[in-house]
Amino acid sequence: MERKGKSVRFYPGFREITLACLIILYAPLIIVMIYSFNNSPSITIWGGFSLVWYEDVFFGLEAGKFKKATVNSLIIAVMAAIISTIIATMAALAMVRGRVFRGKALTFGLINLPLMVPEIVTAVATLIFFSAIGFDRGVLSILLAHIVFCIPFAYLPIAARLQGITSIYEQAARDLYATPAETFRLILLPLMVPGILSGFLLAFIISLDDFIITNFVKGAGVETLPTAIFGAVKQGIKPNIMAISTLMLLVSFLLVSVSYLISRIGREK
């Protein structure tokens, strides 16, 4: 009875609500994955198991368009993740290890503000800003926008990791006459690696999957994989879109799992 009183699992209706949420959340993804192996050109009629739509993704009529969009997405995601991770690392060092300064709480709020602002607002504001300064829209405008909104996603795991590192190691290094640069390079940076890698992977996957901001700031003829999929869907949903979606889902799942494992290993050290 005492256990029932403490655990939310025993609240009336809690289990049913949880199951309903899980079904609503994951059932569409499972259906898309199943029908990506459909041998029929219909998206609703099952015609048997086949890999024909995966072959179509790589060698079909639209393969060139999707390959070009994938290359753009990967280049932008890698560059945005690298730059945003560097900026987030410096910000975390200043916020966690730096001296207390006036406006620190406000600075912390500004770093994390993109997480709370609706993405459509950020997209419109970025588009207006680029138009106001006469900045041409294209791959570079997408990259700049992605760097900005990826910073808080990279900052959170890096700051969390840094907060978990005791300052005893740095104090010991300074007692042994290590310079601040040597203390950072030989002591603090290796301890921060799990958080930095986790932040990089999180920023990469957020950039790779982004559609709304990318669709606003991309130039004519420039496509990333999410915008290319959206353009194809407007002409009708084909099974090859399900195959692409399944591949993206698997990549996202793999990277999120790696990010989680890296963070867990870092906490256990």
Side-chain angles (χ1 to χ4, degrees):
M1 293 298 292
E2 184 181 357
R3 185 184 175 192
K4 289 184 178 182
K6 289 183 178 180
S7 177
V8 295
R9 291 180 299 172
F10 297 98
Y11 285 179
F14 180 80
R15 180 174 299 175
E16 289 74 13
I17 293 174
T18 303
L19 289 175
C21 291
L22 290 175
I23 291 173
I24 293 172
L25 186 63
Y26 290 107
L29 299 178
I30 294 173
I31 291 173
V32 167
M33 293 180 67
I34 292 174
Y35 273 87
S36 69
F37 297 101
N38 189 6
N39 193 34
S40 168
S42 171
I43 60 171
T44 56
I45 301 175
W46 179 254
F49 180 85
S50 174
L51 296 175
V52 64
W53 299 115
Y54 288 91
E55 182 181 350
D56 184 80
V57 169
F58 293 101
F59 305 106
L61 295 176
E62 297 179 304
K65 179 180 69 175
F66 287 126
K67 284 180 181 177
K68 186 177 180 180
T70 302
V71 170
N72 286 338
S73 286
L74 290 175
I75 292 174
I76 292 170
V78 169
M79 293 299 298
I82 291 174
I83 298 173
S84 62
T85 301
I86 293 173
I87 297 173
T89 301
M90 293 189 292
L93 286 170
M95 295 295 292
V96 178
R97 282 295 195 268
R99 291 178 294 182
V100 177
F101 58 92
R102 183 177 297 177
K104 189 172 183 177
L106 177 62
T107 305
F108 178 78
L110 290 175
I111 292 174
N112 292 286
L113 188 61
L115 294 175
M116 296 173 282
V117 175
E119 194 172 2
I120 186 68
V121 175
T122 303
V124 172
T126 306
L127 174 62
I128 293 174
F129 175 74
F130 283 148
S131 299
I133 65 175
F135 195 85
D136 292 334
R137 285 182 290 162
V139 173
L140 186 56
S141 62
I142 300 174
L143 175 60
L144 291 174
H146 282 211
I147 290 171
V148 173
F149 74 74
C150 282
I151 289 175
F153 291 98
Y155 173 83
L156 291 177
I158 296 173
R161 174 61 182 162
L162 195 55
Q163 287 169 343
I165 300 173
T166 176
S167 61
I168 293 176
Y169 303 112
E170 297 158 74
Q171 294 172 9
R174 297 300 299 272
D175 289 342
L176 295 173
Y177 302 104
T179 64
E182 289 174 335
T183 302
F184 173 74
R185 181 169 56 87
L186 300 176
I187 304 298
L188 191 56
L189 185 59
L191 293 173
M192 291 176 61
V193 166
I196 293 174
L197 288 177
S198 181
F200 172 82
L201 290 175
L202 194 57
F204 176 83
I205 200 64
I206 292 295
S207 172
L208 190 68
D209 287 345
D210 179 75
F211 167 73
I212 297 178
I213 295 177
T214 304
N215 198 43
F216 271 74
V217 301
K218 75 181 183 68
V222 178
E223 298 287 353
T224 62
L225 191 53
T227 61
I229 292 174
F230 179 72
V233 168
K234 286 196 296 185
Q235 300 171 3
I237 301 177
K238 301 176 183 176
N240 61 347
I241 300 299
M242 294 186 173
I244 296 174
S245 301
T246 301
L247 292 174
M248 289 188 68
L249 183 64
L250 292 176
V251 171
S252 301
F253 178 77
L254 176 64
L255 293 179
V256 171
S257 299
V258 171
S259 176
Y260 169 75
L261 290 175
I262 291 174
S263 299
R264 185 173 178 179
I265 292 172
R267 286 196 298 268
E268 291 175 351
K269 285 186 176 179

